[in-house]
Amino acid sequence: MSWQNRFKSFIKEPQNIILIVLFILMSFLTLLPLVSLIRDTLIAHPSELMSIKGAKAGDFTLFHWYKVFFDGKNSKNLFYSPFWNTVKVSIGSCVIAIGLGGTVAWLVARSDIRFKSIISTIFVFPYIMPSWTLAMAWLNFFRNAYIGGKPGLFTALTGIETANWFAYGQFPIIVVTGLHYAPFAYILIGGILQNMDANLEEAAMLLKASRMKIIRKVTLPIVMPAIFSAFLLTFASSMSAFAVPAFLGTPVRYYVLTTQLYRTLNGVNQGYGYVLVVVMLAVGLFVLAFNQWFVGKRKSFTTVTGKSSQVSLVKLRGARTPISAGVLFMLLLIAILPLVSFAVESFTMVTGNYNPSNFTSIFWLGKGSTDIANGEPGILRNKYIYLGLWNSIKLSVCCAFVAGTAGVLCGYAVVKRRGSRLSGVVNSLAFFPYLMPAMAFGAIYLSMFTQKNGFIPPLYGTFTLLVLIGSVKYLPFASRAGVNAMLQLSNEIEEAAVIQGVSWWKRMVKIIFPIQKTSFLSGYLLPFISCMRELSLFILLVTPANRVLTTQLFQYNEKGWNQYANAINLLIIVVVLFFNLVINKLTGASIDKGIGGS
């Protein structure tokens, strides 16, 4: 067959066209920013000309690389100490996330623990809530008078002043980040435990193996790929987290790579920041490659054949009620109590004073007073809050539509051409934005689109730029959901329609999407929720005209208007939970199906 005929045959397949289009778009939107990033590490920037003697703006230089890695004490403070802090925080967060999420997943899937539906519902709350809201909740409870100025709720209730190491720095950053990403491990590991073939465990029980030996020799090897996927997601996310270290680490000058990145990008040495981004990407890619190698190595003895009817739950016996109560109490602490703290703090006139006489509704319903926050009205009477809320919802809907649709097409094409080089490349490109630190991604897009870039006009200050970067950043969630949905769908269903002469568009709309509607819609839901609670990605790109609720919260917090910040925080969470509940009730889509495909 001639190459012309092969080419015609190739482009007749819809999945091939989709892969080519996605390859071109994702190369432009992910690889070009990466090339731009590397270039920025090798040129002199206008603000650095005083440091780089004899250089002109745009000149080639290795100055940034030398300063970051080989300049003695300066390099230690600039890179090595924050890097080591980042590694410790990321590993510690993985331990907590996988330990907690995996344990609860096993209890729900393999034991007779009580309140399973309640536990499953509440356990995803820490992820639905922005990670930095948990950081704010931690400060609301545990801040001290030494650094925080005003004691938190814990000190007010007990009279015990919390130590600095407990209130700020490495310990709370690890705990808060680990709790935030525990749902990843819960959903990934729980999905495998619920769907794996239980015959292997049944056979081990017939051979009189102990319960611990069964878990160690049978269950753990089967769920190990899910554990490593959870490790990948948690480690990469922890490395790129900014807000939690900024809230909890900055007061005691505990810096990680992201907070150091923020300092450099907002200072006079932007080149240092771009070098830090390259390092973070390299570590993320190494973790991804190691995970892929490990999962591939263990495929031969991973057995997941669908949920078995022979699953026998472990009887907790006398420990059933205490364990059930303990899990519910833990969920109360990490999912419900933070909401209470936001409400309490938003009604206190003077921070740290919890006497009934100090409570007021002025920060919610007040008209504004010149002696309070420069006359700022309460958030429910503030037109700028409503503008930010509308922009947040509009932006989230647009990003969810673009990312979700691209994710459906990506999942369809990648699975249909599974095993081909083009499929693998597109699948990797679709996941790559997840590894890019959000703040760095925003900074690169700001640099790229401030001026005309090829056929694209200047986009800074436009709503379009926010939609573009949000859609690219959240595509990994949608594409994982799309791939997962297509892997569960038998090829015979579509092949029967092809034989009947049904067009591709009609096959997608009338057959494939309706069958896997729940999984596909989860790929729309997760970008929506992620966008509603995003801060780092948009902080450098918003303008007064397109401000969103999260950046308004950050600005209020920077001004020290904690009551307004807590009120906005509570508003964001209520809105996100409301949309999540409504979409779940109307379509059956849920956040756990979106994560489960990752």
Side-chain angles (χ1 to χ4, degrees):
M1 182 184 294
S2 65
W3 70 267
Q4 293 95 336
N5 291 333
R6 286 199 300 268
F7 178 74
K8 290 179 181 179
S9 177
F10 181 83
I11 63 174
K12 282 183 179 179
E13 298 293 336
Q15 57 266 30
N16 294 331
I17 301 298
I18 294 171
L19 288 175
I20 292 173
V21 172
L22 287 177
F23 174 76
I24 295 172
L25 289 176
M26 294 307 298
S27 295
F28 179 78
L29 295 172
T30 60
L31 295 184
L32 186 60
L34 180 60
V35 172
S36 174
L37 169 68
I38 295 174
R39 174 182 173 273
D40 282 334
T41 69
L42 298 171
I43 64 172
H45 300 273
S47 61
E48 302 170 327
L49 298 184
M50 293 293 292
S51 302
I52 310 175
K53 297 180 180 179
K56 298 179 182 179
D59 284 354
F60 173 83
T61 180
L62 294 175
F63 176 80
H64 311 117
W65 292 88
Y66 171 78
K67 283 291 185 180
V68 170
F69 293 112
F70 306 111
D71 196 25
K73 187 176 180 180
N74 289 331
S75 297
K76 179 182 177 181
N77 294 332
L78 178 63
F79 170 70
Y80 290 107
S81 292
F83 176 77
W84 178 234
N85 290 342
T86 301
V87 172
K88 290 188 290 185
V89 165
S90 299
I91 292 176
S93 300
C94 288
V95 171
I96 291 179
I98 294 174
L100 177 61
T103 300
V104 176
W106 184 87
L107 287 171
V108 171
R110 292 295 186 180
S111 79
D112 63 343
I113 191 173
R114 302 180 190 274
F115 318 119
K116 289 187 179 184
S117 60
I118 297 176
I119 292 172
S120 297
T121 300
I122 298 179
F123 201 81
V124 298
F125 275 27
Y127 180 78
I128 295 176
M129 293 188 296
S131 60
W132 40 269
T133 63
L134 289 178
M136 288 185 65
W138 188 278
L139 291 179
N140 286 342
F141 278 99
F142 299 120
R143 66 175 179 263
N144 58 38
Y146 306 124
I147 295 176
K150 298 289 185 179
L153 284 165
F154 177 80
T155 301
L157 293 173
T158 65
I160 301 172
E161 193 80 40
T162 54
N164 283 345
W165 68 266
F166 189 87
Y168 313 95
Q170 179 177 293
F171 176 75
I173 293 173
I174 289 175
V175 172
V176 168
T177 307
L179 291 177
H180 178 65
Y181 291 109
F184 278 145
Y186 170 75
I187 292 164
L188 289 169
I189 298 172
I192 297 296
L193 288 172
Q194 289 175 355
N195 294 315
M196 63 181 278
D197 188 350
N199 288 327
L200 294 174
E201 291 181 323
E202 295 286 340
M205 293 180 66
L206 292 175
L207 293 173
K208 307 299 183 182
S210 66
R211 176 58 61 180
M212 286 305 300
K213 190 170 184 178
I214 293 173
I215 293 175
R216 184 165 51 88
K217 294 291 187 178
V218 179
T219 309
L220 273 179
I222 291 176
V223 301
M224 193 59 70
I227 291 175
F228 265 80
S229 293
F231 176 86
L232 164 67
L233 291 169
T234 305
F235 191 91
S237 299
S238 300
M239 280 204 66
S240 62
F242 164 74
V244 173
F247 275 100
L248 299 174
T250 303
V252 289
R253 298 183 179 180
Y254 183 88
Y255 297 110
V256 295
L257 286 179
T258 50
T259 50
Q260 191 74 309
L261 171 65
Y262 181 75
R263 295 175 67 200
T264 53
L265 288 179
N266 283 277
V268 296
N269 298 113
Q270 295 178 345
Y272 298 171
Y274 294 124
V275 173
L276 296 180
V277 176
V278 171
V279 173
M280 295 169 69
L281 283 174
V283 174
L285 288 172
F286 171 79
V287 174
L288 173 62
F290 183 78
N291 178 78
Q292 297 287 54
W293 169 81
F294 185 86
V295 171
K297 182 181 178 182
R298 303 183 73 91
K299 277 182 181 177
S300 59
F301 54 92
T302 297
T303 305
V304 180
T305 63
K307 189 172 181 180
S308 171
S309 60
Q310 301 179 28
V311 172
S312 58
L313 300 178
V314 175
K315 304 296 183 182
L316 299 178
R317 297 186 175 87
R320 185 186 185 196
T321 297
I323 291 176
S324 302
V327 172
L328 281 181
F329 180 71
M330 175 201 65
L331 293 178
L332 173 68
L333 293 180
I334 66 176
I336 306 301
L337 210 56
L339 305 183
V340 175
S341 79
F342 302 144
V344 170
E345 293 292 332
S346 68
F347 283 101
T348 57
M349 176 63 75
V350 179
T351 301
N353 182 354
Y354 302 103
N355 291 322
S357 60
N358 188 50
F359 282 74
T360 177
S361 62
I362 190 172
F363 302 107
W364 287 89
L365 300 170
K367 295 181 179 180
S369 174
T370 55
D371 60 337
I372 299 176
N374 296 333
E376 194 80 9
I379 69 166
L380 296 182
R381 304 185 67 162
N382 190 327
K383 64 178 182 180
Y384 296 110
I385 297 297
Y386 286 106
L387 174 63
L389 175 60
W390 168 242
N391 285 339
S392 292
I393 295 174
K394 182 171 62 172
L395 177 60
S396 299
V397 169
C398 291
C399 289
F401 176 77
V402 175
T405 302
V408 171
L409 296 175
C410 181
Y412 174 86
V414 165
V415 173
K416 287 294 181 181
R417 292 281 296 167
R418 186 172 38 166
S420 70
R421 182 175 300 178
L422 182 59
S423 173
V425 170
V426 170
N427 194 29
S428 297
L429 284 175
F431 184 77
F432 182 74
Y434 186 84
L435 300 176
M436 182 79 78
M439 180 172 293
F441 207 41
I444 294 170
Y445 266 58
L446 176 65
S447 175
M448 285 180 59
F449 296 110
T450 300
Q451 300 175 345
K452 184 177 180 180
N453 196 339
F455 61 90
I456 300 179
L459 295 177
Y460 175 69
T462 67
F463 187 75
T464 302
L465 181 58
L466 301 183
V467 174
L468 179 64
I469 192 172
S471 301
V472 175
K473 183 63 177 174
Y474 306 131
L475 178 59
F477 297 123
S479 66
R480 295 302 94 185
V483 169
N484 185 59
M486 288 303 302
L487 285 173
Q488 295 174 343
L489 193 64
S490 172
N491 285 329
E492 296 174 356
I493 297 175
E494 188 177 7
E495 289 171 358
V498 172
I499 294 173
Q500 295 296 320
V502 179
S503 66
W504 174 79
W505 173 253
K506 186 171 289 187
R507 296 199 303 268
M508 290 294 295
V509 174
K510 298 292 186 179
I511 300 174
I512 295 176
F513 198 94
I515 291 176
Q516 289 294 72
K517 178 184 67 174
T518 301
S519 295
F520 282 139
L521 288 178
S522 297
Y524 287 86
L525 176 60
L526 193 52
F528 177 88
I529 291 175
S530 299
C531 190
M532 276 296 300
R533 57 185 183 76
E534 181 62 64
L535 170 65
S536 302
L537 187 66
F538 303 129
I539 190 68
L540 299 175
L541 301 176
V542 295
T543 62
N546 58 26
R547 70 186 78 187
V548 293
L549 215 51
T550 51
T551 58
Q552 287 179 291
L553 182 152
F554 191 74
Q555 291 167 357
Y556 278 99
N557 190 75
E558 281 192 317
K559 293 176 181 178
W561 301 346
N562 294 328
Q563 294 92 335
Y564 290 100
N566 277 280
I568 297 172
N569 201 0
L570 189 60
L571 178 62
I572 292 173
I573 294 170
V574 169
V575 170
V576 170
L577 291 176
F578 171 77
F579 275 98
N580 184 51
L581 178 63
V582 169
I583 294 172
N584 177 253
K585 293 297 183 182
L586 293 178
T587 68
S590 62
I591 190 173
D592 60 325
K593 292 182 177 62
I595 299 174
S598 299

